[in-house]
Amino acid sequence: MPLIKRQIAVVGGGLAGWSAAVGFAKAGFDTILLAPASTSDRRSTALIGPSVDFLAGLGLAEGLREAGQPLVVMRLIDDTGRLLRAPTVEFHASEIDLDAFGQNVMNADLLRMLNEIGETLSDRLTVVEEGLVSIATDADGVTIETATHEIRAGLAVGADGRNSPVRTHAGIGVRKWSYPQSAIVLNFAHDRDHDSISTEFHTRTGPFTQVPLPGRRSSLVWVEEPKVADLLADVSLSRLSRMVEDRMHSILGAVEVEEGVQCFPLSGAAAERMTAERIALVGEAAHVFPPIGAQGLNLGLRDAADLIEVAGRHRDDPGCPAMLRDYEAKRRVDVVSRTAAVDLLNRSLLTEFLPVQAIRSLGLGLLARGSMLRRFVMKEGVTPGSSLRRSPRRTPPDDAPLDPLVP
Ligand SMILES: Cc1cc2nc3c(=O)[nH]c(=O)nc-3n(C[C@H](O)[C@H](O)[C@H](O)COP(=O)(O)OP(=O)(O)OC[C@H]3O[C@@H](n4cnc5c(N)ncnc54)[C@H](O)[C@@H]3O)c2cc1C
């Protein structure tokens, strides 16, 4: 079996893995990516500001502009029909001096762009379309076997998703939980312009979120009880189109749902640690979110950006204990706070307990009015920790640096 030696071995060719691999190669590390073929993904991702900056730094600025749709206004509508309802809240990117909060882009387009950039980096990035079969670490490095290769590296990046074999090997425990909900995910065409507005209806069964795509198209994540979601996934497209239009109170006019409706049971997971000897986790290998508040991949990209930045400070020996300590410390607060916030938001929608509804209404009431809290929440939503530093700049440059998270 041929032995391949590299500084970094990224395991997993999802969006987090590809972004990390391209980022490491761009930052000058000899990198290998294990990316077994995957099924096509019809979801889109709402990339928030720093994710767009990070991907621009990888060379995707033009591609994102062409394939993505700017998110200029985010609107939250309480559609629970409860006694205590929250007022409608609209956040405008201009309120925090941004042109847009981010870009909504099809996952398949994002993966294609990362593949294309990867091809231009072939002197520093080797892609093997095989999965990891075994992994062993020692104080000096990590040895990985695939069906036909043996790989030796200083650091293994576990980007191998929610059931991460790398995490299991490393003995990192994981806390998993599920929600009594499933998400129907689909794309649809509509009669009226969306004006770059994303609208999230908060319903008794969970959020119903429309996110604009280029043209008169949008994506939808519709959270329902699992039984209802299963039924919805099976109804005819014309009937589903009418149901979507109804749920949206026709704000985008007539709706035409496209082929490829998918259903995802909602769950969450959090790894106990993000590192082990010569191993660092990124993306869903470290944390799984329900698709609420567009957090999952955005957090995964922040993992990748931070890991690359930290490795740059330990260039002589990426994967050494000091580097892994720095990475663990850098990611902990972001991951823990986002996990708790998304969980709280989702559970507050489901509860029938009046005081919780009151607190949620009060909170959104404060956000609906111009207030310090409103500005703080918007800035933190886009760039975590930024409110405690200084204002984000208005337009990300085409070739933003690889560490956009440090303004
Ligand atoms: C309905 C829905 C909507 C979402 N919307 C958003 C959104 O708007 N914004 C947002 O930020 N996030 C969103 N998310 C979350 C986001 O999709 C995920 O966080 C993201 O796709 C996870 O990427 P990943 O690369 O970590 O994992 P994955 O995409 O699961 O990739 C893991 C990869 O590892 C590979 N792998 C597994 N085992 C091995 C092995 N042994 N060897 C090598 N490779 C292996 C797999 O083949 C796979 O390609 C959404 C999620 C859902 C379900």
Side-chain angles (χ1 to χ4, degrees):
M1 205 180 269
L3 175 68
I4 304 179
K5 286 190 176 172
R6 293 288 185 275
Q7 289 173 291
I8 313 288
V10 179
V11 182
L15 291 170
W18 262 100
S19 304
V22 168
F24 271 113
K26 275 239 158 194
F29 291 94
D30 283 329
T31 305
I32 187 164
L33 170 67
L34 302 189
S38 54
T39 50
S40 72
D41 189 342
R42 291 190 46 81
R43 291 174 296 168
S44 69
T45 294
L47 296 166
I48 304 303
S51 301
V52 177
D53 287 5
F54 173 61
L55 293 168
L58 301 187
L60 272 69
E62 200 184 323
L64 285 178
R65 261 197 303 275
E66 280 168 14
Q69 174 64 40
L71 302 171
V72 175
V73 179
M74 303 233 189
R75 185 195 284 148
L76 306 182
I77 297 178
D78 185 335
D79 206 11
T80 56
R82 286 192 174 119
L83 185 63
L84 292 176
R85 279 200 299 279
T88 294
V89 186
E90 262 189 21
F91 299 111
H92 294 252
S94 56
E95 292 177 65
I96 50 168
D97 304 325
L98 294 173
D99 296 327
F101 291 112
Q103 297 267 346
N104 190 36
V105 62
M106 298 299 293
N107 287 5
D109 284 334
L110 205 47
L111 199 59
R112 171 186 48 77
M113 288 181 233
L114 287 163
N115 276 252
E116 286 166 6
I117 299 283
E119 278 169 24
T120 67
L121 295 167
S122 54
D123 53 333
R124 258 176 275 142
L125 176 62
T126 309
V127 182
V128 174
E129 290 182 4
E130 290 178 4
L132 166 148
V133 174
S134 73
I135 174 167
T137 62
D138 54 61
D140 298 325
V142 51
T143 304
I144 290 171
E145 282 187 358
T146 69
T148 63
H149 292 87
E150 188 179 11
I151 297 150
R152 179 76 183 163
L155 171 70
V157 180
D160 46 352
R162 57 182 65 204
N163 299 316
S164 171
V166 172
R167 185 185 67 216
T168 306
H169 155 80
I172 298 176
V174 60
R175 187 169 63 88
K176 295 185 178 177
W177 60 96
S178 58
Y179 297 93
Q181 297 156 298
S182 291
I184 293 289
V185 180
L186 54 85
N187 302 318
F188 65 98
H190 38 80
D191 269 1
R192 295 200 189 122
D193 286 337
H194 48 53
D195 296 324
S196 302
I197 301 173
S198 170
T199 304
E200 181 160 310
F201 295 88
H202 288 177
T203 78
R204 279 168 183 259
T205 50
F208 176 102
T209 309
Q210 164 264 337
V211 192
L213 286 167
R216 285 186 179 166
R217 278 182 83 220
S218 291
S219 53
L220 181 75
V221 177
W222 178 355
V223 176
E224 267 296 350
E225 286 169 17
K227 269 190 298 194
V228 178
D230 287 344
L231 289 175
L232 289 171
D234 278 343
V235 303
S236 69
L237 289 185
S238 56
R239 184 149 173 232
L240 192 57
S241 301
R242 285 196 299 278
M243 293 170 94
V244 171
E245 184 186 338
D246 264 12
R247 282 283 182 132
M248 295 204 64
H249 305 282
S250 297
I251 58 173
L252 293 176
V255 156
E256 198 174 321
V257 172
E258 298 171 4
E259 290 282 353
V261 177
Q262 291 174 291
C263 185
F264 295 85
L266 256 55
S267 61
E272 280 166 7
R273 287 174 288 127
M274 292 182 72
T275 59
E277 184 180 57
R278 294 282 162 186
I279 284 172
L281 304 180
V282 298
E284 288 203 337
H287 41 71
V288 177
F289 285 89
I292 292 168
Q295 292 296 324
L297 183 63
N298 283 292
L299 202 65
L301 295 178
R302 292 207 288 280
D303 297 339
D306 277 356
L307 188 64
I308 295 161
E309 191 266 326
V310 168
R313 287 193 256 131
H314 298 272
R315 218 164 249 286
D316 292 348
D317 186 9
C320 67
M323 182 206 139
L324 295 173
R325 264 198 309 277
D326 286 357
Y327 176 62
E328 186 82 53
K330 203 161 186 198
R331 295 307 302 140
R332 188 59 22 204
V333 174
D334 192 14
V335 172
V336 169
S337 62
R338 298 282 144 168
T339 305
V342 171
D343 188 61
L344 186 71
L345 173 65
N346 193 29
R347 289 186 197 279
S348 79
L349 290 175
L350 295 179
T351 186
E352 293 294 335
F353 187 49
L354 213 56
V356 175
Q357 291 178 28
I359 289 167
R360 194 173 62 85
S361 306
L362 194 70
L364 286 175
L366 279 172
L367 295 180
R369 293 191 291 272
S371 67
M372 291 276 284
L373 177 66
R374 177 184 167 89
R375 211 175 144 73
F376 176 83
V377 166
M378 276 196 275
K379 287 172 99 177
E380 282 301 302
V382 175
T383 314
S386 65
S387 314
L388 308 172
R389 300 196 296 264
R390 59 189 166 85
S391 308
R393 61 186 178 280
R394 198 172 171 89
T395 309
D398 268 13
D399 255 328
L402 271 179
D403 181 24
L405 302 182
V406 179

